[in-house]
Amino acid sequence: APTRTKWFQRFVLGVKWRVGVVRRRDEAITSEQMRALLELGEHLWKEAKGVEERRRIANTMAFAVVGFCASLRGEEVPLVSLKGLMTFWKETMAKGFVMITLRGLFKGEN
């Protein structure tokens, strides 16, 4: 195969040396970044003109806050069960926290 030749292997190595290798790992956001995002959301909320625009801002901010506080990955946040959240809302808010319920298994549960 052409990709197994000595020339091609040296070519690939040379490209890596000249261009570099870009690695983008999934990194958690910091609490400072989350605070900045919340401040931006607050600003956008105050500047919003209509109910629909505020609803979009609220949904986006809720997505970010739930994901951050529960250490969920992006694809796990839509698994939050609103029915479960509303079921335990009054009970848990009175105790100073909110129970976030998820549909399905959570992070490796059997």
Side-chain angles (χ1 to χ4, degrees):
T3 58
R4 293 192 180 259
T5 64
K6 186 176 183 178
W7 178 88
F8 188 79
Q9 290 174 354
R10 291 185 75 189
F11 166 74
V12 170
L13 186 59
V15 169
K16 284 183 182 179
W17 284 342
R18 288 173 184 82
V19 177
V21 177
V22 177
R23 292 190 177 106
R24 296 183 185 206
R25 295 186 175 104
D26 291 338
E27 294 182 16
I29 63 172
T30 65
S31 56
E32 290 81 18
Q33 290 170 326
M34 189 64 201
R35 269 191 247 123
L37 182 62
L38 291 172
E39 288 175 14
L40 175 63
E42 188 72 28
H43 173 73
L44 292 172
W45 179 269
K46 289 176 183 174
E47 299 293 318
K49 301 289 186 224
V51 175
E52 189 57 38
E53 186 178 358
R54 283 190 167 182
R55 182 175 288 127
R56 282 195 303 272
I57 294 166
N59 287 341
T60 303
M61 296 310 296
F63 187 93
V65 169
V66 168
F68 180 79
C69 292
S71 298
L72 300 175
R73 295 183 187 100
E75 69 273 6
E76 294 172 330
V77 179
L79 297 177
V80 172
S81 168
L82 294 178
K83 181 179 178 183
L85 191 66
M86 297 307 295
T87 300
F88 296 105
W89 184 263
K90 287 183 183 178
E91 179 184 343
T92 57
M93 282 296 289
K95 296 177 183 177
F97 65 93
V98 175
M99 182 181 293
I100 298 173
T101 57
L102 298 179
R103 292 186 301 267
L105 300 177
F106 180 68
K107 292 195 179 189
E109 288 180 339
N110 292 329

